[in-house]
Amino acid sequence: MTIRTFCTLAAAIFALIALLQLIRIVMGWSVTLNGVNIPFWPSWIAIIVAGALSFFGFRAAVRS
């Protein structure tokens, strides 16, 4: 696997994570872990972090 392929694959996975977090917010899906409801604000943070990692991954793939 080349570095370009790895960066593209990792960026696509992070983009999918960001998209799923956004869908969770828009659709109002609730998440319960060990009986505790997780609020929506961590999803906003996850969108920002995963989106940034995706952006940098695609940028690294183009540069390599």
Side-chain angles (χ1 to χ4, degrees):
M1 178 179 286
T2 65
I3 191 72
R4 179 179 226 153
T5 305
F6 174 78
C7 289
T8 303
L9 180 62
I13 291 170
F14 283 122
L16 180 63
I17 291 169
L19 180 64
L20 288 172
Q21 290 294 330
L22 181 62
I23 291 171
R24 175 186 181 245
I25 291 172
V26 170
M27 300 295 285
W29 294 340
S30 63
V31 174
T32 304
L33 294 175
N34 202 18
V36 177
N37 285 333
I38 306 300
F40 288 113
W41 66 264
S43 288
W44 287 110
I45 295 171
I47 290 170
I48 293 167
V49 171
L53 289 171
S54 177
F55 171 76
F56 290 124
F58 281 125
R59 195 168 83 175
V62 169
R63 291 184 177 184
S64 62

